[in-house]
Protein backbone atom coordinates (compact mmCIF):
# COMPACT_ATOMS: atom_id res chain seq x y z
CA UNK A 1 0.00 0.00 0.00
CA UNK A 2 1.37 3.43 -0.96
CA UNK A 3 1.29 6.65 0.94
CA UNK A 4 -0.11 9.90 -0.39
CA UNK A 5 1.74 13.00 0.67
CA UNK A 6 0.30 16.48 0.75
CA UNK A 7 2.72 19.02 -0.73
CA UNK A 8 4.11 21.47 1.81
CA UNK A 9 4.62 24.28 -0.67
CA UNK A 10 1.71 25.84 -2.49
CA UNK A 11 3.26 28.18 -5.04
CA UNK A 12 0.80 29.60 -7.57
CA UNK A 13 1.68 30.71 -11.10
CA UNK A 14 1.88 34.40 -10.10
CA UNK A 15 4.37 33.69 -7.32
CA UNK A 16 6.40 31.34 -9.53
CA UNK A 17 6.55 33.92 -12.34
CA UNK A 18 7.70 36.67 -10.00
CA UNK A 19 10.30 34.35 -8.44
CA UNK A 20 11.59 33.61 -11.94
CA UNK A 21 11.72 37.34 -12.79
CA UNK A 22 13.64 38.02 -9.57
CA UNK A 23 16.17 35.35 -10.53
CA UNK A 24 16.69 37.16 -13.86
CA UNK A 25 16.92 40.70 -12.41
CA UNK A 26 19.59 40.12 -9.77
CA UNK A 27 23.15 38.80 -10.10
CA UNK A 28 23.26 36.35 -7.19
CA UNK A 29 19.77 36.15 -5.74
CA UNK A 30 17.94 33.56 -3.72
CA UNK A 31 14.17 33.53 -3.66
CA UNK A 32 12.32 31.56 -1.01
CA UNK A 33 8.66 30.50 -1.14
CA UNK A 34 6.65 30.55 2.07
CA UNK A 35 5.38 27.19 3.29
CA UNK A 36 2.66 28.65 5.50
CA UNK A 37 0.43 31.52 4.37
CA UNK A 38 1.00 34.31 6.88
CA UNK A 39 0.91 37.15 4.36
CA UNK A 40 4.42 36.80 2.98
CA UNK A 41 4.57 34.89 -0.31
CA UNK A 42 8.23 35.28 -1.27
CA UNK A 43 11.43 36.29 0.43
CA UNK A 44 14.15 37.73 -1.77
CA UNK A 45 17.79 37.91 -0.81
CA UNK A 46 19.19 40.05 -3.66
CA UNK A 47 22.82 39.10 -3.06
CA UNK A 48 23.28 35.93 -1.04
CA UNK A 49 27.08 36.41 -1.08
CA UNK A 50 27.02 39.85 0.57
CA UNK A 51 28.65 40.15 4.00
CA UNK A 52 25.31 41.05 5.53
CA UNK A 53 22.66 39.89 3.05
CA UNK A 54 19.38 41.73 3.37
CA UNK A 55 16.03 40.09 2.87
CA UNK A 56 12.96 41.59 1.22
CA UNK A 57 9.52 40.22 2.09
CA UNK A 58 7.02 40.21 -0.77
CA UNK A 59 3.26 39.74 -1.05
CA UNK A 60 2.05 38.75 -4.55
CA UNK A 61 -1.34 39.64 -6.04
CA UNK A 62 -2.27 38.60 -9.56
CA UNK A 63 -5.04 39.04 -12.08
CA UNK A 64 -5.74 38.37 -15.69
CA UNK A 65 -6.35 41.42 -17.81
CA UNK A 66 -10.06 41.83 -18.40
CA UNK A 67 -10.64 42.77 -22.04
CA UNK A 68 -13.21 45.34 -23.12
CA UNK A 69 -13.61 44.60 -26.84
CA UNK A 70 -15.45 47.88 -27.49
CA UNK A 71 -12.92 50.09 -25.72
CA UNK A 72 -9.41 48.71 -25.15
CA UNK A 73 -8.60 51.74 -23.00
CA UNK A 74 -10.79 50.09 -20.35
CA UNK A 75 -8.73 46.87 -20.23
CA UNK A 76 -7.19 46.09 -16.87
CA UNK A 77 -6.67 43.68 -14.00
CA UNK A 78 -8.84 43.54 -10.90
CA UNK A 79 -7.45 42.72 -7.43
CA UNK A 80 -9.27 43.00 -4.12
CA UNK A 81 -7.51 43.30 -0.75
CA UNK A 82 -9.29 43.62 2.59
CA UNK A 83 -8.44 46.59 4.76
CA UNK A 84 -7.32 44.23 7.52
CA UNK A 85 -4.97 42.34 5.16
CA UNK A 86 -3.59 45.58 3.70
CA UNK A 87 -2.73 46.84 7.19
CA UNK A 88 -1.09 43.49 7.96
CA UNK A 89 0.94 43.57 4.72
CA UNK A 90 2.17 47.09 5.51
CA UNK A 91 3.71 45.73 8.71
CA UNK A 92 5.08 42.31 7.68
CA UNK A 93 5.88 42.86 3.97
CA UNK A 94 8.27 45.27 2.37
CA UNK A 95 6.62 45.18 -1.08
CA UNK A 96 3.44 44.15 -2.79
CA UNK A 97 3.90 43.05 -6.37
CA UNK A 98 0.87 43.04 -8.63
CA UNK A 99 1.15 40.91 -11.75
CA UNK A 100 -1.39 41.56 -14.48
CA UNK A 101 -1.50 39.05 -17.33
CA UNK A 102 -2.14 40.92 -20.59
CA UNK A 103 -2.86 39.04 -23.80
CA UNK A 104 -3.92 39.74 -27.37
CA UNK A 105 -6.99 37.89 -28.54
CA UNK A 106 -7.60 39.70 -31.82
CA UNK A 107 -4.39 38.69 -33.63
CA UNK A 108 -5.52 35.30 -34.97
CA UNK A 109 -2.28 33.85 -33.60
CA UNK A 110 -1.89 31.71 -30.49
CA UNK A 111 -2.49 33.71 -27.34
CA UNK A 112 0.72 35.12 -25.87
CA UNK A 113 0.63 36.14 -22.23
CA UNK A 114 2.62 39.29 -21.47
CA UNK A 115 2.56 40.17 -17.79
CA UNK A 116 3.31 43.58 -16.40
CA UNK A 117 4.27 44.19 -12.81
CA UNK A 118 3.50 46.95 -10.35
CA UNK A 119 6.13 46.82 -7.61
CA UNK A 120 5.12 49.08 -4.76
CA UNK A 121 6.27 49.41 -1.14
CA UNK A 122 3.49 48.05 1.06
CA UNK A 123 3.41 51.13 3.30
CA UNK A 124 3.03 53.36 0.20
CA UNK A 125 0.12 51.25 -1.07
CA UNK A 126 -1.59 51.59 2.32
CA UNK A 127 -1.01 55.35 2.26
CA UNK A 128 -2.46 55.68 -1.26
CA UNK A 129 -5.40 53.42 -0.50
CA UNK A 130 -6.30 55.18 2.76
CA UNK A 131 -7.09 58.27 0.69
CA UNK A 132 -9.80 56.24 -1.06
CA UNK A 133 -13.14 54.87 0.00
CA UNK A 134 -13.14 51.27 1.14
CA UNK A 135 -16.20 49.19 0.30
CA UNK A 136 -17.84 46.23 2.01
CA UNK A 137 -18.05 42.71 0.69
CA UNK A 138 -21.77 41.96 0.51
CA UNK A 139 -21.23 38.28 1.37
CA UNK A 140 -18.74 38.53 4.22
CA UNK A 141 -19.09 42.13 5.36
CA UNK A 142 -15.30 42.53 5.17
CA UNK A 143 -14.09 46.05 4.50
CA UNK A 144 -12.02 45.93 1.32
CA UNK A 145 -10.62 47.87 -1.60
CA UNK A 146 -10.74 46.76 -5.22
CA UNK A 147 -7.83 47.88 -7.38
CA UNK A 148 -8.42 48.16 -11.14
CA UNK A 149 -4.91 48.26 -12.57
CA UNK A 150 -4.09 49.07 -16.15
CA UNK A 151 -1.15 49.90 -18.33
CA UNK A 152 -1.05 52.39 -21.16
CA UNK A 153 2.29 52.00 -22.92
CA UNK A 154 4.93 52.98 -20.36
CA UNK A 155 2.36 54.31 -17.89
CA UNK A 156 0.33 52.50 -15.23
CA UNK A 157 -2.74 53.57 -13.30
CA UNK A 158 -5.18 52.45 -10.67
CA UNK A 159 -8.48 53.52 -12.18
CA UNK A 160 -11.30 52.34 -9.94
CA UNK A 161 -12.57 55.92 -9.66
CA UNK A 162 -11.61 57.02 -13.17
CA UNK A 163 -15.11 58.40 -13.80
CA UNK A 164 -14.52 60.83 -10.96
CA UNK A 165 -11.22 61.85 -12.60
CA UNK A 166 -9.30 60.42 -9.69
CA UNK A 167 -7.06 57.76 -11.18
CA UNK A 168 -3.81 57.10 -9.33
CA UNK A 169 -0.63 57.33 -11.38
CA UNK A 170 1.47 54.24 -10.62
CA UNK A 171 3.93 54.72 -13.49
CA UNK A 172 6.97 54.93 -11.20
CA UNK A 173 6.08 51.47 -9.88
CA UNK A 174 5.56 49.85 -13.31
CA UNK A 175 8.15 47.07 -13.71
CA UNK A 176 10.21 48.91 -11.06
CA UNK A 177 12.52 46.04 -10.14
CA UNK A 178 15.18 48.57 -9.11
CA UNK A 179 13.15 49.36 -5.98
CA UNK A 180 14.04 45.92 -4.63
CA UNK A 181 17.81 46.52 -4.77
Amino acid sequence: MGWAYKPYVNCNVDEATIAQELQKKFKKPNVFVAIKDIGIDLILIPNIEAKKPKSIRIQVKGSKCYINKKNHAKNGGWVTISKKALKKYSVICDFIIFIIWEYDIDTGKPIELKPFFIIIPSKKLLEITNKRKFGSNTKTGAVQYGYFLKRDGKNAYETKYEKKNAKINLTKYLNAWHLLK
Side-chain angles (χ1 to χ4, degrees), residues 11-36:
C11 183
N12 69 36
V13 69
D14 301 324
E15 294 162 2
T17 301
I18 290 172
Q20 185 178 20
E21 286 294 317
L22 292 168
Q23 290 290 114
K24 290 180 197 174
K25 304 292 181 195
F26 295 91
K27 290 181 181 175
K28 296 180 181 181
N30 265 350
V31 180
F32 299 92
V33 177
I35 291 177
K36 186 176 180 183

Side-chain angles (χ1 to χ4, degrees), residues 65-83:
C65 183
Y66 292 91
I67 304 294
N68 184 322
K69 288 185 178 182
K70 294 179 183 177
N71 184 353
H72 287 295
K74 293 186 177 184
N75 295 351
W78 185 260
V79 177
T80 303
I81 303 176
S82 74
K83 190 173 188 176

Side-chain angles (χ1 to χ4, degrees), residues 2 4 14-15 48-49 77 80 83 159 173-174:
D14 301 324
E15 294 162 2
I48 197 70
E49 294 180 2
T80 303
K83 190 173 188 176
T159 61
Y173 303 112
L174 178 62

Side-chain angles (χ1 to χ4, degrees), residues 146-162:
Y147 301 88
F148 191 72
L149 303 162
K150 62 192 214 177
R151 184 178 65 89
D152 180 13
K154 293 183 179 181
N155 300 309
Y157 304 97
E158 194 289 316
T159 61
K160 182 177 178 187
Y161 294 108
E162 188 172 29

Side-chain angles (χ1 to χ4, degrees), residues 156-173:
Y157 304 97
E158 194 289 316
T159 61
K160 182 177 178 187
Y161 294 108
E162 188 172 29
K163 290 179 182 174
K164 297 177 184 172
N165 199 21
K167 65 183 176 182
I168 300 170
N169 188 338
L170 297 174
T171 301
K172 67 181 175 182
Y173 303 112

